[in-house]
Amino acid sequence: MVRYGLGALFASAVALAAWVYGVWAGAFLEMRPTGEYCTGGPLGFPATSWTWLPLSHECHYADGAVQELVPAPVNLVVDGCLLVVLACAVAALRVRAASAGSRPSPAPGVSPGR
């Protein structure tokens, strides 16, 4: 059961690292004017839109074009790692339930105690 916990911890760390990289690479932290990192033409209104999960930061141009600033693999890695965390949790619960079911039952008239 420990290996499932370690697997979930490692997958969580990888997901967090990928998400932080996506925030950095996706120009979320830019203090410059939007026109300096959205360079595809005249900007529309609103000039940008963003979401945290899935991580997305888009530039909107006057001609209707949209440019995604977050690299595409970032969300694939984050989603994959979150699925691994979920799989580890399910596996750990199944192992725990199987080990709880295989305990010997107490003799009749004997208190199970702890």
Side-chain angles (χ1 to χ4, degrees):
M1 200 148 90
V2 171
R3 67 179 175 208
Y4 297 123
L6 290 175
L9 183 64
F10 180 71
S12 298
V14 171
L16 180 63
W19 190 84
V20 168
Y21 172 75
V23 167
W24 174 75
F28 281 90
L29 306 175
E30 288 290 338
M31 299 304 284
R32 301 178 293 161
T34 306
E36 290 185 20
Y37 60 88
C38 291
T39 57
L43 293 171
F45 183 82
T48 61
S49 64
W50 52 271
T51 61
W52 293 112
L53 196 62
L55 194 58
S56 176
H57 191 198
E58 298 176 331
C59 295
H60 299 276
Y61 298 102
D63 64 354
V66 176
Q67 175 190 7
E68 176 63 58
L69 298 174
V70 176
V74 168
N75 285 315
L76 292 174
V77 170
V78 170
D79 292 346
C81 287
L82 293 178
L83 285 175
V84 169
V85 169
L86 180 64
C88 287
V90 168
L93 289 174
R94 293 188 76 180
V95 167
R96 183 175 178 189
S99 67
S102 65
R103 291 185 187 148
S105 57
V110 176
S111 174
R114 292 229 173 222

